[in-house]
Amino acid sequence: MKGITILGSTGSIGQSTLDVLSRHQDKYQLIAITANTCVEQILRQCLQWHPRYAVMADEKSADILRSALSNQAPDVEVLGGQQGLIQVASLPESDYVMAAIVGAAGLLSTLAAAQAGKRILLANKESLVMSGKLFMDAVSANHAQLLPIDSEHNALFQCMPAGFVRGLSQSGVTRIVLTASGGPFRTTALEQLHTVTPEQACLHPNWAMGRKISVDSATMMNKGLEVIEAGWLFNAAPDQIQVVLHPQSVIHSLVEYADGSVLAQLGNPDMRVPIAHALAWPERIASGVKPLDLIATARLDFEQVDLKRFPCLQLATEAMKTGGTATTILNAANEVAVSAFLDGRIQFTEIARIVENALADLKTVAANNLEAILEADLSARMYSTQYIEERVAC
Ligand code: NAD
Ligand code: MG
């Protein structure tokens, strides 16, 4: 029996994780769940699952949950704030930690899981983008296991040779190919892009996801973050990573070898596949996902990415090449811009502009300690917030 903590249990990945766990209650025990401020949803999860701990992002929500649980499930211990998140990411009884908080808010708890030597099921790509070297060093120093949940990286992991540690050329790998659906605006007229609404941006053609990652998929910043993520996970340089548009989202990514072989992982676009893979690895368990019907799929298309349409992808690749805190700045400016777009305060096309300006105007420094990373994150947030306030005031 493996104990598991789910950071972000009320989100899209969190709920898919609970769905997979519900099929394997003989193998996994839910120890802790966490949510931001939505008490209602985590309350339902507590009553269904009876975890030992439930954590809310702030003390006020924790108080509300605590009093709601006091009659119905007094055995669930309720914690609040960042310390609570860190505590449940490091519990001795949790062997596995699903890191599924969205954005920089997940950094410290995901890092704590690495420092506690857990098996980390990494969905929160932003933490790796922000703190790549620090995070990878914490994983290896504490003998943590890092299993990617992002469907592309999970596919790459599955296609890498057995025993792959880090380093492409030692494994005969020449290139990794990340597939991208192109999101909802792959064919929208370029001059229409500034008019698209948050609802349109969140209507992904193949995947049902949280709102932030849905917008990231529409700008393809998501793929940019994933290029950086792949760089850290597989020790790959930017020129060893290719991005290819593949509108059907059936091939989740590919690994190209020196002898010309190309291995791909295919499956229906449902996050329960990588979640089940990472939970059971190196074994296999059922995920609840229907088998892929190749005849119904019929065709697999591939296209080059148009960087004029998707400038965020280029910004991310450039930040990766710059290194240091450039990717932290990229991530923070993007989070602020996406949130402003979702609130209807800026246009879709301004997201890339805000990130570009933040990268141009803010100084990049080495990212070898947490203080430097948090400082870069904060200054990029302040910069982008001010940019938006000035823009909205005009
Ligand atoms: P979501 O918005 O559906 O859920 C986010 C979760 O984080 C919720 O449980 C929420 O309560 C919690 N949360 C939000 N802000 C918080 C804060 N300030 N403090 C503490 N908790 C907070 O997001 P999602 O789609 O499940 O994505 C989660 C992560 O997984 C993201 O990093 C995303 O990039 C990654 N991911 C998601 C998918 C997908 O299909 N949804 C695929 C690949 C990677
Ligand atoms: Mg992905």
Side-chain angles (χ1 to χ4, degrees):
M1 197 74 148
K2 296 291 184 190
I4 176 163
T5 287
I6 304 179
L7 302 170
S9 63
T10 55
S12 166
I13 293 287
Q15 292 178 60
S16 293
T17 307
L18 288 173
D19 183 277
V20 177
L21 292 184
S22 69
R23 297 160 197 277
H24 302 283
Q25 300 203 37
D26 55 324
K27 291 189 171 66
Y28 307 100
Q29 187 189 1
L30 187 62
I31 304 289
I33 55 180
T34 84
N36 190 12
T37 52
C38 178
V39 171
E40 211 178 296
Q41 205 181 347
I42 200 167
L43 175 62
R44 277 199 302 273
Q45 293 180 342
C46 286
L47 296 178
Q48 185 184 347
W49 286 88
H50 287 273
R52 278 188 220 156
Y53 301 88
V55 187
M56 301 304 296
D58 63 70
E59 294 295 344
K60 192 170 149 233
S61 314
D63 283 343
I64 300 172
L65 179 64
R66 205 172 284 120
S67 63
L69 282 171
S70 60
N71 293 331
Q72 306 175 72
D75 47 325
V76 181
E77 187 173 336
V78 179
L79 306 171
Q82 197 60 246
Q83 265 320 311
L85 293 173
I86 290 172
Q87 186 178 330
V88 297
S90 332
L91 291 169
E93 59 268 49
S94 284
D95 306 283
Y96 296 176
V97 175
M98 164 57 81
I101 291 174
V102 60
L107 174 67
L108 297 181
S109 49
T110 308
L111 206 51
Q115 282 155 351
K118 303 298 182 193
R119 173 180 289 199
I120 304 164
L121 282 54
L122 185 74
N124 176 231
K125 66 192 90 184
E126 293 93 341
S127 58
L128 196 51
V129 167
M130 289 175 77
S131 72
K133 181 166 162 35
L134 197 78
F135 189 83
M136 296 307 290
D137 286 351
V139 167
S140 53
N142 298 288
H143 309 289
Q145 277 181 333
L146 191 52
L147 287 158
I149 293 299
D150 223 338
S151 57
E152 296 78 1
H153 306 73
N154 184 271
L156 293 170
F157 184 89
Q158 295 196 43
C159 296
M160 287 289 174
F164 169 83
V165 189
R166 288 175 73 196
L168 297 186
S169 55
Q170 298 92 313
S171 310
V173 174
T174 42
R175 198 160 55 149
I176 60 189
V177 183
L178 292 174
T179 54
S181 69
F185 307 134
R186 185 173 57 89
T187 56
T188 306
L190 278 184
E191 58 280 8
Q192 294 297 314
L193 280 182
H194 70 283
T195 66
V196 301
T197 65
E199 283 59 43
Q200 290 170 316
C202 289
L203 218 62
H204 196 279
N206 306 333
W207 298 94
M209 309 182 283
R211 282 165 77 75
K212 191 262 178 182
I213 185 177
S214 295
V215 176
D216 284 350
S217 300
T219 60
M220 275 187 78
M221 178 59 92
N222 183 50
K223 209 51 53 180
L225 300 178
E226 290 182 358
V227 169
I228 300 166
E229 182 184 12
W232 288 113
L233 287 174
F234 302 107
N235 201 10
D239 63 0
Q240 292 175 304
I241 306 170
Q242 185 190 11
V243 176
V244 171
L245 281 187
H246 166 47
Q248 291 90 357
S249 300
V250 166
I251 294 186
H252 298 301
S253 278
L254 312 93
V255 175
E256 180 192 270
Y257 285 86
D259 60 7
S261 299
V262 178
L263 301 191
Q265 186 259 355
L266 287 72
N268 285 317
D270 187 318
M271 291 306 291
R272 290 176 299 173
V273 175
I275 291 168
H277 171 266
L279 275 171
W281 182 84
E283 285 163 22
R284 298 273 178 175
I285 54 171
S287 64
V289 177
K290 282 196 311 232
L292 179 64
D293 182 341
L294 283 175
I295 305 295
T297 305
R299 53 184 288 177
L300 300 172
D301 295 311
F302 304 95
E303 296 165 20
Q304 186 132 23
V305 181
D306 173 3
L307 292 176
K308 271 231 297 281
R309 177 180 294 277
F310 297 114
C312 285
L313 177 58
Q314 185 153 19
L315 290 170
T317 313
E318 281 164 12
M320 180 184 185
K321 288 180 184 157
T322 306
T325 52
T327 57
T328 317
I329 294 168
L330 171 99
N331 179 66
N334 181 59
E335 282 191 28
V336 172
V338 169
S339 158
F341 169 68
L342 283 170
D343 291 344
R345 292 164 62 221
I346 61 166
Q347 294 175 342
F348 180 74
T349 42
E350 285 177 288
I351 297 172
R353 204 170 312 141
I354 290 164
V355 175
E356 185 177 8
N357 285 342
L359 283 167
D361 289 355
L362 297 173
K363 202 164 140 243
T364 294
V365 299
N368 40 21
N369 61 67
L370 192 58
E371 290 67 38
I373 290 163
L374 294 178
E375 200 179 307
D377 177 75
L378 183 64
S379 53
R381 279 171 202 278
M382 284 165 51
Y383 174 96
S384 312
T385 304
Q386 190 180 346
Y387 180 100
I388 291 164
E389 276 165 9
E390 283 167 11
R391 145 81 183 73
V392 170
C394 289

